[in-house]
Short mmCIF file of all heavy atoms in Angstrom, two decimals:
data_model
loop_
_atom_site.label_atom_id
_atom_site.label_comp_id
_atom_site.label_asym_id
_atom_site.label_seq_id
_atom_site.Cartn_x
_atom_site.Cartn_y
_atom_site.Cartn_z
N HIS A 140 10.56 19.57 24.06
CA HIS A 140 12.02 19.58 24.26
C HIS A 140 12.74 19.28 22.94
O HIS A 140 13.74 19.92 22.61
CB HIS A 140 12.39 18.55 25.34
CG HIS A 140 13.86 18.36 25.52
ND1 HIS A 140 14.71 19.37 25.92
CD2 HIS A 140 14.65 17.27 25.33
CE1 HIS A 140 15.95 18.90 25.97
NE2 HIS A 140 15.95 17.63 25.62
N ALA A 141 12.22 18.34 22.18
CA ALA A 141 12.81 18.02 20.87
C ALA A 141 12.83 19.25 19.98
O ALA A 141 13.83 19.56 19.33
CB ALA A 141 12.03 16.88 20.20
N VAL A 144 15.40 21.94 21.30
CA VAL A 144 16.78 21.57 21.00
C VAL A 144 17.04 21.71 19.49
O VAL A 144 18.09 22.21 19.07
CB VAL A 144 17.09 20.14 21.50
CG1 VAL A 144 18.43 19.65 21.00
CG2 VAL A 144 17.06 20.11 23.03
N GLY A 166 19.06 17.53 16.31
CA GLY A 166 18.50 18.03 17.57
C GLY A 166 17.12 17.46 17.83
O GLY A 166 16.80 17.06 18.95
N HIS A 169 17.35 13.74 19.03
CA HIS A 169 18.41 13.35 19.98
C HIS A 169 17.95 12.48 21.15
O HIS A 169 18.72 11.69 21.67
CB HIS A 169 19.16 14.59 20.49
CG HIS A 169 18.47 15.29 21.61
ND1 HIS A 169 17.37 16.08 21.42
CD2 HIS A 169 18.69 15.29 22.94
CE1 HIS A 169 16.95 16.54 22.60
NE2 HIS A 169 17.75 16.07 23.54
N ASP A 170 16.68 12.63 21.58
CA ASP A 170 16.21 11.81 22.71
C ASP A 170 15.33 10.64 22.23
O ASP A 170 14.41 10.23 22.93
CB ASP A 170 15.43 12.68 23.71
CG ASP A 170 16.35 13.36 24.71
OD1 ASP A 170 17.50 12.92 24.88
OD2 ASP A 170 15.91 14.34 25.34
N TYR A 173 14.30 7.98 24.77
CA TYR A 173 14.13 8.40 26.17
C TYR A 173 12.77 8.03 26.77
O TYR A 173 12.68 7.56 27.90
CB TYR A 173 14.39 9.90 26.33
CG TYR A 173 14.34 10.31 27.77
CD1 TYR A 173 15.39 9.99 28.63
CD2 TYR A 173 13.22 10.96 28.31
CE1 TYR A 173 15.34 10.33 29.98
CE2 TYR A 173 13.16 11.31 29.65
CZ TYR A 173 14.22 10.98 30.47
OH TYR A 173 14.16 11.31 31.80
N HIS A 180 18.67 5.22 28.75
CA HIS A 180 18.73 6.23 27.70
C HIS A 180 20.01 6.08 26.86
O HIS A 180 21.10 5.89 27.40
CB HIS A 180 18.68 7.61 28.35
CG HIS A 180 18.66 8.77 27.40
ND1 HIS A 180 18.06 8.71 26.16
CD2 HIS A 180 19.14 10.03 27.51
CE1 HIS A 180 18.20 9.88 25.56
NE2 HIS A 180 18.86 10.70 26.36
N HIS A 204 25.65 13.23 22.99
CA HIS A 204 25.00 14.25 23.83
C HIS A 204 24.87 13.77 25.27
O HIS A 204 24.68 14.58 26.17
CB HIS A 204 23.65 14.71 23.24
CG HIS A 204 22.43 14.03 23.77
ND1 HIS A 204 21.84 12.95 23.16
CD2 HIS A 204 21.68 14.29 24.87
CE1 HIS A 204 20.78 12.59 23.86
NE2 HIS A 204 20.67 13.37 24.90
N LEU A 222 25.25 20.07 20.34
CA LEU A 222 24.12 19.29 20.84
C LEU A 222 24.27 19.04 22.34
O LEU A 222 23.32 19.16 23.11
CB LEU A 222 24.00 17.96 20.08
CG LEU A 222 22.81 17.08 20.48
CD1 LEU A 222 21.48 17.80 20.26
CD2 LEU A 222 22.82 15.76 19.69
N VAL A 225 23.44 22.49 24.07
CA VAL A 225 22.09 23.09 23.96
C VAL A 225 21.00 22.20 24.55
O VAL A 225 19.92 22.69 24.86
CB VAL A 225 21.69 23.52 22.51
CG1 VAL A 225 22.71 24.47 21.92
CG2 VAL A 225 21.41 22.34 21.62
N ASP A 226 21.27 20.93 24.72
CA ASP A 226 20.30 20.06 25.39
C ASP A 226 19.94 20.68 26.74
O ASP A 226 18.76 20.84 27.08
CB ASP A 226 20.93 18.67 25.57
CG ASP A 226 19.96 17.65 26.12
OD1 ASP A 226 18.73 17.85 25.99
OD2 ASP A 226 20.43 16.64 26.68
N ALA A 227 20.94 21.07 27.51
CA ALA A 227 20.71 21.69 28.82
C ALA A 227 20.42 23.18 28.69
O ALA A 227 19.52 23.70 29.35
CB ALA A 227 21.93 21.46 29.71
N SER A 229 19.08 25.00 26.30
CA SER A 229 17.76 25.35 25.78
C SER A 229 16.69 25.11 26.85
O SER A 229 15.68 25.80 26.89
CB SER A 229 17.44 24.57 24.51
OG SER A 229 17.30 23.19 24.80
FE1 FE2 B 522 17.54 16.09 25.56
#
Side-chain angles (χ1 to χ4, degrees):
H140 173 62
V144 170
H169 82 284
D170 275 341
Y173 185 74
H180 183 32
H204 96 265
L222 183 59
V225 304
D226 186 22
S229 68

